[in-house]
Amino acid sequence: MPELPPMKNRGRWDIFCTVVDNYGDIGVTWRLARQLVAEHAVDVRLWVDDLRAFERLCPEIDILAPRQWQQGVEVCHWQAEWPNADAADVVIAAFACQLPSDYMDAMAEREKPPLWMNLDYLSAEDWVIGCHGLPSVKYKSVQKYFFFPGFQRGTGGLLRECGLLERRRHFQQSPELQREFLQGLGIDRAPAAQLISLFAYENTGLASWLDALAADSTPTHLLVPEGRILGDVERWLGVSDLVAGALHVREALTVQVLPFVRQDQYDHLLWCCDFNAVRGEDSFVRAQWAGRPLLWHIYQQDEDIHLDKLEAFLTLYTKGLSVPAAQAISGLWRAWNAGEDMADQWLATRKHWAELEKHAEAWCLEQALQADLAAALVQFYLNWI
Ligand code: TRH
């Protein structure tokens, strides 16, 4: 992709985010907003309807403030009563959220209509390439466009901040930095233990995986940020009320509960771990940038359409792996997403560990050849004006 032109005429941008559930919606839009400001000198207003969810990712948020500045982004609480703000030059509706009707009118009343885009969910399916950048619906004179993130050429790419991989590599090459970071979270790595992070939805397959880890000859230190999977961890441990700081040992497995940390710290956690179980959309992408093997718990959708997305990703991801390694990692991911027994799949995966580690780094580097999503959005705008 050619260099972007000098930073001028990049306009004012409004990003709208409704928090459907969990943290992915705000996680993606907050990351995008910050990157647009930091790397593209764009003025960004981020409209969010749920500041409490936002506060988990960014503890500085004042949940009572209708308008505030955070890291160069103007964060506006999107409330039922619309404050009649001017329409921006670029309007991003994240994940098909419905804009306030007064705002849509304000867009239509502008002398030059804004560029209006829907930032869609991430999918590895092939049809995404054909739909990325196409016109969608129109409101009066204002045309909306589809903008699809993705893994393949012809999509909008993935969120990746400038210098991310260099920072990651520097950190991974420094045992000192890692020790310091882990100690800051109260983690004293069990000797010779592999580190695994676990961020997932409720999963009936968890107990069998923990059984396998506990019985393994290699010790495991499992780090579990507070969240939806804790109930399953509690049941397996036979304890109740697990909270951040809790630490339990069962044979070769040490389980430690972590607080939910800010996004940058979560990146560092992923970089420290030998294996990361992630979920949804944003943590899934961050684990890929960590360059380590991963396990994806995909967000469930009606009529199991998420399973097509899972298979589409596996098809892309396993290219370049030997057949047995591809089968092992695919089997593990399928079992996890079906809530099935994980023991055999985990043992099979362990057999191909060295290959999977090498592959995770190669996949990361291959993905980094694509323009990142923020740059692709800015380029789309510059091509459009
Ligand atoms: O939270 P998620 O499951 O989010 C979503 C939503 O369910 C959304 O509606 C759905 O559409 C989407 O998945 C597919 O998973 P995700 O996307 O990984 O978002 C979690 C965010 O939380 C991500 O930005 C990383 C961040 N995070 C932290 O900042 N600190 C932490 O300690 C952890 C565990 C995560």
Side-chain angles (χ1 to χ4, degrees), residues 199-306:
F199 181 48
Y201 308 113
E202 298 79 1
N203 196 317
T204 48
L206 180 71
S208 57
W209 187 24
L210 299 187
D211 284 343
L213 291 173
D216 205 338
S217 54
T218 306
T220 298
H221 195 141
L222 184 74
L223 304 170
V224 194
E226 280 182 316
R228 290 174 53 177
I229 192 82
L230 276 196
D232 292 316
V233 180
E234 282 177 350
R235 265 185 292 284
W236 185 79
L237 286 169
V239 301
S240 57
D241 299 335
L242 275 184
V243 287
L247 191 135
H248 295 269
V249 181
R250 299 285 184 275
E251 299 170 77
L253 175 62
T254 301
V255 178
Q256 185 167 358
V257 181
L258 302 183
F260 197 94
V261 292
R262 57 180 62 246
Q263 276 186 328
D264 294 348
Q265 282 186 302
Y266 183 60
D267 270 345
H268 285 82
L269 179 69
L270 296 173
W271 300 349
C272 284
C273 288
D274 303 293
F275 186 70
N276 292 299
V278 286
R279 73 183 203 192
E281 178 159 330
D282 192 52
S283 59
F284 172 50
V285 172
R286 304 315 281 187
Q288 291 169 59
W289 296 137
R292 298 270 162 87
L294 70 150
L295 173 62
W296 183 27
H297 203 182
I298 193 168
Y299 182 75
Q300 278 199 6
Q301 289 177 287
D302 291 341
E303 292 167 29
D304 282 348
I305 56 171
H306 59 285

Side-chain angles (χ1 to χ4, degrees), residues 362-377:
W363 169 262
C364 168
L365 297 183
E366 187 191 322
Q367 286 302 313
L369 294 176
Q370 267 207 96
D372 69 83
L373 189 134
L377 275 169

